[in-house]
Amino acid sequence: MTSEPVVLLGIRPTRVAFLHAHPDDETLATGHLIAWLTESGCEVHIVTGSRGERGEVVPGPLSALEGTPALVDERERELERALTALAGDSAALHHVFLGASGARAGGLPARRYLDSGMRWGADGFAEADGTADARSLSLAPLDEVTADLVAALDRIRPDLVVGYDERGGYGHPDHVRMREAGFAAARRLELPFAEVVESPAEAEAFHFDAAPAAAAQTHVFRRDFAAQHPRVMAALGAHQSQLRVDGDDVVHSGGQRQHVPSVETLRLVR
């Protein structure tokens, strides 16, 4: 644990909640920030919307799991191993699936939100593919998803909620639904909400002194987490059904190569 003071967007948080759609999103989008917060003594809570059961599987020994019920169990195990890698020696990292106990509106039976699936659109962003199950996250009533997140955040009582931007990062319908419901839940509880800036070009547009005194005056937080980078790459390696780690890149199930930078950027949504 470090003695470095944690200042995020003018807030000195003791507890931060991250809202993600599927296993591996927590590490790809915010893994460095999660690792830094836990080692700095901050309590971190992650709410995951679905288990990613409709995602493709990378070629290899786990290929046979694609489209089977066994993939759900595998992705739950992978997520658990990834969170262990991100937490390091800290016991301050907590996780719950949306709809489960602790992330379900009072008086409602537990619910398992399903992965909605996706396809790539002509604009290069993900979009709904028209085959989502009625029980999927993206097709669930927005009021119900919001109520579940209100229940989760009311239990956690974070100083800051972190989620996706309005397009859900890359457009996946489950990401969009987590953003819509997460932002609405944060507003209802009067909690500050920050969105992850994933576009490299957009992130590079922000330049400021990241010292605590300066960061307290800005609505953008940007930091190079080089010290946490090895833990993030180890956590990504735990998601072995979804991607393959190659140096500082990951290769996804469809063969797409993605560089994993050590810099992460948040923007406060006013």
Side-chain angles (χ1 to χ4, degrees):
M1 185 177 298
T2 69
S3 58
E4 177 185 7
V6 173
V7 179
L8 279 175
L9 304 165
I11 301 166
R12 290 185 178 272
T14 60
R15 198 174 297 114
V16 178
F18 291 81
L19 310 181
H20 284 290
H22 316 102
D24 91 354
D25 292 329
E26 79 294 327
T27 308
L28 279 169
T30 56
H32 296 86
L33 182 58
I34 289 170
W36 176 64
L37 288 171
T38 57
E39 73 180 39
S40 299
C42 188
E43 189 177 304
V44 173
H45 292 258
I46 300 171
V47 181
T48 305
S50 82
R51 290 155 176 82
E53 62 267 36
R54 291 195 62 195
E56 297 177 337
V57 177
V58 295
L62 298 177
S63 296
L65 298 181
E66 186 168 327
T68 72
L71 183 58
V72 172
D73 296 332
E74 174 61 25
R75 294 206 159 156
E76 287 183 353
R77 288 191 294 267
E78 291 175 0
L79 177 56
E80 183 177 357
R81 291 194 292 267
L83 296 181
T84 297
L86 291 179
D89 296 330
S90 172
L93 181 54
H94 310 276
H95 174 264
V96 66
F97 280 106
L98 187 68
S101 177
R104 185 62 166 157
L108 296 177
R111 169 172 183 167
R112 177 173 290 201
Y113 290 97
L114 300 184
D115 179 3
S116 301
M118 54 150 277
R119 65 186 175 199
W120 292 107
D123 60 357
F125 283 83
E127 63 183 17
D129 66 1
T131 64
D133 188 287
R135 298 167 295 172
S136 67
L137 178 58
S138 68
L139 297 184
L142 178 58
D143 288 347
E144 182 178 355
V145 181
T146 300
D148 286 351
L149 285 174
V150 166
L153 295 176
D154 193 44
R155 175 183 60 84
I156 297 167
R157 300 308 303 177
D159 303 301
L160 178 68
V161 180
V162 178
Y164 305 119
D165 63 16
E166 290 182 329
R167 197 161 189 178
Y170 68 99
H172 194 295
D174 289 337
H175 285 234
V176 173
R177 178 46 52 93
M178 286 296 284
R179 156 59 190 237
E180 293 170 338
F183 184 55
R187 288 191 64 183
R188 191 172 301 176
L189 294 172
E190 299 183 338
L191 298 171
F193 184 95
E195 60 189 19
V196 179
V197 179
E198 294 192 57
S199 164
E202 190 176 3
E204 286 295 330
F206 301 122
H207 298 284
F208 60 90
D209 182 354
Q217 305 303 317
T218 182
H219 72 291
V220 175
F221 173 87
R222 185 174 186 228
R223 183 185 174 104
D224 189 337
F225 295 100
Q228 289 74 33
H229 194 60
R231 282 163 59 191
V232 171
M233 300 312 296
L236 286 170
H239 289 292
Q240 57 186 349
S241 70
Q242 303 210 61
L243 50 82
R244 176 175 59 84
V245 174
D246 182 14
D248 284 334
D249 295 352
V250 294
V251 181
H252 295 275
S253 56
Q256 309 95 322
R257 179 175 291 270
Q258 177 183 354
H259 179 65
V260 182
S262 58
V263 176
E264 290 181 3
T265 307
L266 294 181
R267 176 172 50 213
L268 189 65
V269 181
R270 298 188 182 278

